[in-house]
Amino acid sequence: MWDDETRYAVIRGRDARYDGQFVTAVRSTGIYCRPSCPARTPARANVDFYPSAAAAQRAGFRSCRRCFPDDAPGSPRWRVGADVASRAMRMIDDGVIEREGVAGLAARLGYTERHVSRLLTEELGAGPLALAIAHRLQHARTLLEGTDLPVHAVSRAAGFGSVRQFNDAARSAWDLTPGEVRGRAGTRATGDARVELRLRLRAPATLGRTLAFLGVRAIDGVETWDGETYERTMRLPRGAARVALSAVAGGVRAVLELADVSDLAAAVARVRRLLDLDADPVAVDDALGSDPLLAPLVAAAPGLRVPGAVDGFEMAVRAIVGQQVSVAGARRTLGRLVEAYGGGLSVPAGSHEGAPGGLSVPTGMFPGPEALVDVDPGSGLLPAARWRAISSVAQAMLDGDLDLGPGADRDAARATLLGIRGIGPWTVEYLAMRALGDPDAFPATDLVLAKAAGLTPRELDSRAEAWRPWRAYAALHLWTAVSEGRTP
């Protein structure tokens, strides 16, 4: 990422766009900061740059107490990349190391532990375990400052093996104990089962549109939407959860109820992917805004995000059900599918305030692959061909032949999906956009996109070459314009 002189110009300008993309370490103080730190810019001779907080911590620097660099949004580099390091970082964010260790991470990537450690050290200045510890500390600070969870519960929720390990890591990174961090911040009572967080992002952002996109597609029982707050259930590695999301100044208010607080890191990672919170909107808008067709759309919706998914299989089923039917029709069918094959939510009772706007609290769970793998194609609800496609996707995921998770190999997933009867290019690209988080995915055969652009599908596919590597955002701008009655 650039050279050190360019990085120094960024910190002199205190440009928040680059928070999370590198950190600045000051040798004279032993502190590392985010690029937008409000403190006086240090002399160039005293500054080193590191690609991650973990690398700075490994070099012996501690976190700045003014700008809290470990609380910055995630780097868009790791969100959009298809290389091994990017896939590894997405899985680390999702808590794979806490659940499966470094060996599990390496196995998912298809490489040896030694190779993965060497690759991540070259790319980010620290190995997978150090990166995971930095990630744990980020969640721990958020919990210490924003909840009244006891320190031992914070330690467990953040993924530390013991309170002692947590204390040692905190002293090394912050030069403070967890208790001292809490004492400096003041807390808000939330209770053990309910955690309220403020998730940061890069400006600009039009999160109201992102939440509305999800809301108009809400499945009865699993999701609710009242025009301001989107709420849904989700399946996490250790149990179920419910989350309510609403836009606030500078970020997102997330209220989470977890069956197991150890799932907090995974829940936050999935919410961030769902709302595309780690995007670099300035880079996207600059690129797309230079095209005369898209320029007015970008100006009308700056910082538009591509909605993701909390579960790859759920998104695959939604995409298959939604083929050639209206959004309303797909919602009705999916609601009946959840009623017939889904399960119930199990989180601690009595912690929820009640859904907004008088809506019922979502208590249903979207069925997993094991529930739909053997459904009789003649059972109704869907045409037999679509049931067979859903069953094939479920079987491929259960067998390990198809991965739609955060660290998936996107090219391999595309190839596997295209090999399933009943899944064509439109469905594959839609899943690449939503489930795999590919910023360049583009369903060129979508008739709504072609109509919005005033082009034939073939002409649209050709025109979209100029929009690489942000074609998914271009598609969202065109869809959004149509839904809001605007035209390019």
Side-chain angles (χ1 to χ4, degrees):
M1 181 178 170
W2 324 307
D3 55 41
D4 285 353
E5 297 310 313
T6 303
R7 293 187 181 94
Y8 189 68
V10 167
I11 69 169
R12 289 185 64 184
R14 296 183 173 86
D15 193 337
R17 169 187 168 186
Y18 300 102
D19 288 353
Q21 302 196 41
F22 67 90
V23 297
T24 304
V26 185
R27 291 192 296 273
S28 57
T29 62
I31 292 171
Y32 72 92
C33 303
R34 64 170 73 194
S36 67
C37 182
R40 187 176 68 181
T41 303
R44 175 68 186 87
N46 293 332
V47 170
D48 289 326
F49 298 100
Y50 291 92
S52 65
Q57 292 169 15
R58 183 175 181 235
F61 294 91
R62 66 173 176 82
S63 173
C64 175
R65 297 175 190 169
R66 292 190 65 181
C67 69
F68 303 115
D70 44 359
D71 191 33
S75 172
R77 162 75 173 85
W78 314 121
R79 188 191 67 81
V80 305
D83 57 291
V84 175
S86 298
R87 293 169 56 205
M89 285 301 296
R90 292 196 291 271
M91 285 193 275
I92 290 172
D93 284 346
D94 198 58
V96 166
I97 287 182
E98 281 69 30
R99 299 190 298 272
E100 304 174 23
V102 176
L105 174 70
R108 283 173 174 261
L109 292 168
Y111 295 95
T112 65
E113 291 183 54
R114 182 177 180 182
H115 179 76
V116 171
S117 296
R118 181 172 62 247
L119 186 149
L120 288 177
T121 300
E122 290 174 356
E123 291 276 352
L124 289 110
L129 187 56
L131 292 164
I133 290 173
H135 184 256
R136 293 171 198 167
L137 287 169
Q138 176 183 352
H139 282 289
R141 183 192 286 278
T142 300
L143 291 172
L144 289 170
E145 295 178 341
T147 78
D148 69 346
L149 287 173
V151 169
H152 69 84
V154 171
S155 173
R156 180 167 170 260
F160 288 98
S162 67
V163 174
R164 180 175 180 178
Q165 185 187 68
F166 179 28
N167 280 325
D168 291 345
R171 284 185 178 278
S172 175
W174 304 332
D175 197 26
L176 294 170
T177 66
E180 289 170 334
V181 171
R182 167 156 284 164
R184 287 167 172 261
T187 60
R188 178 170 54 254
T190 60
D192 287 2
R194 183 173 179 272
V195 178
E196 181 176 332
L197 304 174
R198 183 171 177 270
L199 307 179
R200 300 183 185 275
L201 49 71
R202 293 179 181 83
T206 53
L207 284 179
R209 286 184 168 95
T210 309
L211 292 170
F213 182 97
L214 299 171
V216 299
R217 292 162 176 78
I219 302 171
D220 288 345
V222 174
E223 301 162 291
T224 62
W225 165 246
D226 73 339
E228 292 185 1
T229 300
Y230 167 78
E231 188 166 3
R232 69 158 296 145
T233 60
M234 54 185 173
R235 185 177 283 103
L236 297 173
R238 298 180 180 88
R242 181 164 46 222
V243 60
L245 304 170
S246 53
V248 295
V252 175
R253 177 178 180 260
V255 180
L256 295 127
E257 295 173 273
L258 305 164
D260 189 324
V261 74
S262 299
D263 276 331
L264 178 68
V268 170
R270 293 175 196 200
V271 168
R272 295 194 71 86
R273 291 198 301 274
L274 178 69
L275 301 182
D276 196 14
L277 297 185
D278 292 323
D280 184 349
V282 175
V284 175
D285 289 0
D286 284 352
L288 299 183
S290 63
D291 187 291
L293 175 68
L294 297 178
L297 307 187
V298 172
L304 188 66
R305 308 302 168 102
V306 176
V310 298
D311 181 85
F313 178 70
E314 175 188 321
M315 185 51 59
V317 174
R318 297 175 82 132
I320 293 169
V321 170
Q323 292 171 349
Q324 299 178 335
V325 300
S326 68
V327 170
R331 283 186 61 192
R332 286 192 297 270
T333 300
L334 288 164
R336 291 195 293 267
L337 187 147
V338 168
E339 186 177 357
Y341 301 100
L345 178 69
S346 176
V347 295
S351 62
H352 199 275
E353 293 178 330
L359 297 173
S360 60
V361 175
T363 58
M365 295 294 296
F366 196 90
E370 64 285 343
L372 299 182
V373 67
D374 292 323
V375 174
D376 180 359
S379 60
L381 287 182
L382 289 169
R386 291 185 189 175
W387 269 129
R388 284 192 285 268
I390 290 172
S391 177
S392 297
V393 169
Q395 190 67 62
M397 295 192 76
L398 291 172
D399 291 345
D401 296 330
L402 175 61
D403 183 4
L404 296 176
D409 182 321
R410 292 168 180 163
D411 290 338
R414 276 183 166 95
T416 301
L417 287 166
L418 281 173
I420 294 174
R421 187 174 181 181
I423 294 182
W426 182 91
T427 304
V428 170
E429 289 305 300
Y430 188 75
L431 284 175
M433 180 190 300
R434 301 280 315 273
L436 299 175
D438 185 350
D440 202 36
F442 191 71
T445 58
D446 188 278
L447 297 180
V448 175
L449 291 181
K451 183 178 180 180
L455 302 169
T456 67
R458 179 173 294 183
E459 290 169 341
L460 177 64
D461 194 23
S462 177
R463 178 67 175 268
E465 286 298 309
W467 303 336
R468 290 183 181 273
W470 308 116
R471 294 186 302 169
Y473 292 88
L476 252 294
H477 274 292
L478 290 166
W479 279 334
T480 300
V482 171
S483 69
E484 295 179 356
R486 296 183 282 112
T487 56

